[in-house]
Amino acid sequence: MLDDIKNYFANFDGATDSCRTIVLWVTIAMLIAFIATRVYVVAAGKKSGDEVAAAALRMLNGGWITAAITVAIAVIVAFAACYFTDVANGNDDLFPILFYPLSVLALCIVGSAIALFIKPVKITKIVCGSVCGAALIAVLVCMIVYYASGDAGEAFSNIGLYISAVAVTTATVVFAFLADKDSSPVDTKTVTYAAVCVALSFALSYVRLFKMPMGGSITFASMLPLMLFAYMFGCRKGVLVGLIYGILQAVQDPWIVHPAQFVLDYAVAFASIGLTGCMRNLGVFKGNMRAQFALGAIVACSFRLVSHYFAGVFAFGMYGAGYAADYGIPALANEYFYSFVYQCLYLLPELAIVLVAGTLVLSSSSFRRQIELRIANNNRTVRQPVAPEAPAAEAPAQEAVTDDTVLERTVEQND
């Protein structure tokens, strides 16, 4: 199993793998440059005063966020071109009956996000929901046809897949609703943040360090943007955005042998990333953002592990016997033990990377302040304005204070 793991530090086997290697080193270079510029700005700010330093840090963070989004879009476009080329050339790993419907669904989701950002009204939501729903139904129909044709191979246990898919999906949805009581509608800012976080996570998912032989990768903290979104906006919206990301992952790296396995390995597994906000929603470790994020990330990855685990048991459990013979480990012949070992080999390092990256990101007081402001804006109740009394003729002029100003002062006092 370990011998079959691919790495992308210097992998130039074809256009797609070459792109992965280049993107990996570009990402590492950008990270080093970001750390270096930030250290320089902080050191220079100590000599020029707090206000100048704060302004410089805001400009630096804004510039790097813009650069990251630009690179993310370029990466997505480049890999999309590689994938379409691979499909046209008859790549054995990409099946047109799955790739094209999933690509159409991804385009419908992206188009819906843009439409909701431009005009977030009820009719737009109905039209976008209908279009995406129809595209999803088409995808499921194509999966059923593909599975019925026999080209997908056979799952280890169809009944096990169906039962576990229903059970894990129900558990994820129920937990999200119990942990998050926020039922506010999706507004323009939410759509904007969601689009940016999905784009960043999707681009980072291309930055692979290692890839397992039958799906699953260790990436450069690809879950982090989605986890931060879930922390800010709650489990319900986080699960929905994670589901969208899972569909995009099915386009990027389709390893599908059964419709229920698609639900477990892509839809539910990546939707569970949205459970990261559970600790903040439940009020656990209130006031300690890093602890809330870390524990929420562990809970989210635990749900993801369970989802992948059952898919591995009931869809790919038969492969354990081959690895047991190759490595002389009889226990791997047991599908339950084999799936657990397989999933842990990439999910535990992936979790460790995202915990380290998340802790470093949340170590920035300015970043925490922005998150707290965003959360405060989400929780702020809308009050009807009261008609003010006519001011006295000689009343002194007072400085106008906006809600955002009050929020910033409150956060600074608590920082």
Side-chain angles (χ1 to χ4, degrees), residues 259-342:
Q261 177 257 328
F262 163 77
V263 173
L264 285 169
D265 262 341
Y266 293 97
V268 179
F270 290 102
S272 63
I273 297 174
L275 299 177
T276 304
C278 63
M279 294 300 165
R280 184 185 70 79
N281 294 143
L282 294 172
V284 180
F285 290 105
K286 192 172 183 179
N288 191 334
M289 187 180 295
R290 279 167 284 193
Q292 287 180 333
F293 176 84
L295 288 177
I298 292 172
V299 170
C301 282
S302 298
F303 271 82
R304 183 182 171 186
L305 174 62
V306 169
S307 189
H308 286 310
Y309 171 75
F310 283 113
V313 169
F314 297 118
F316 306 107
M318 74 286 285
Y319 295 104
Y323 286 114
D326 291 341
Y327 293 97
I329 305 176
L332 288 175
N334 181 288
E335 62 271 18
Y336 295 95
F337 181 73
Y338 158 72
S339 181
F340 180 75
V341 172
Y342 185 95

Side-chain angles (χ1 to χ4, degrees), residues 96-352:
I97 194 173
L98 296 180
F99 180 79
Y100 288 121
L102 285 168
S103 299
V104 171
L105 176 58
L107 289 175
C108 290
I109 293 171
V110 173
S112 297
I114 295 173
L116 288 171
F117 175 77
I118 297 173
K119 201 171 184 64
V121 295
K122 186 175 181 180
I123 185 63
T124 307
K125 295 178 182 178
I126 294 174
V127 172
C128 291
S130 301
V131 171
C132 291
L136 178 59
I137 292 173
V139 167
L140 293 176
V141 170
C142 289
M143 285 184 181
I144 293 172
V145 172
Y146 171 66
Y147 175 69
S149 68
D151 294 335
E154 294 184 1
F156 187 69
S157 172
N158 291 338
I159 296 177
L161 279 173
Y162 286 124
I163 294 175
S164 57
V166 172
V168 177
T169 301
T170 303
T172 302
V173 173
V174 169
F175 184 82
F177 275 79
L178 290 177
D180 184 7
K181 303 299 183 182
D182 180 20
S183 58
S184 60
V186 177
D187 57 9
T188 304
K189 285 188 176 180
T190 304
V191 173
T192 304
Y193 275 85
V196 171
C197 290
V198 169
L200 290 175
S201 285
F202 193 55
L204 285 172
S205 69
Y206 285 108
V207 188
R208 290 177 180 170
L209 306 179
F210 301 96
K211 182 184 177 182
M212 299 293 289
M214 290 183 293
S217 303
I218 302 173
T219 65
F220 206 85
S222 62
M223 294 190 294
L224 181 59
L226 288 177
M227 287 182 167
L228 290 174
F229 175 87
Y231 183 85
M232 290 189 290
F233 290 91
C235 292
R236 295 188 184 186
K237 295 182 178 68
V239 166
L240 177 60
V241 172
L243 172 62
I244 295 171
Y245 177 71
I247 293 172
L248 294 175
Q249 282 295 302
V251 178
Q252 183 202 69
D253 191 16
W255 197 283
I256 303 168
V257 300
H258 193 280
Q261 177 257 328
F262 163 77
V263 173
L264 285 169
D265 262 341
Y266 293 97
V268 179
F270 290 102
S272 63
I273 297 174
L275 299 177
T276 304
C278 63
M279 294 300 165
R280 184 185 70 79
N281 294 143
L282 294 172
V284 180
F285 290 105
K286 192 172 183 179
N288 191 334
M289 187 180 295
R290 279 167 284 193
Q292 287 180 333
F293 176 84
L295 288 177
I298 292 172
V299 170
C301 282
S302 298
F303 271 82
R304 183 182 171 186
L305 174 62
V306 169
S307 189
H308 286 310
Y309 171 75
F310 283 113
V313 169
F314 297 118
F316 306 107
M318 74 286 285
Y319 295 104
Y323 286 114
D326 291 341
Y327 293 97
I329 305 176
L332 288 175
N334 181 288
E335 62 271 18
Y336 295 95
F337 181 73
Y338 158 72
S339 181
F340 180 75
V341 172
Y342 185 95
Q343 312 308 332
C344 287
L345 280 176
Y346 70 93
L347 275 179
L348 291 183
E350 184 85 344
L351 173 61

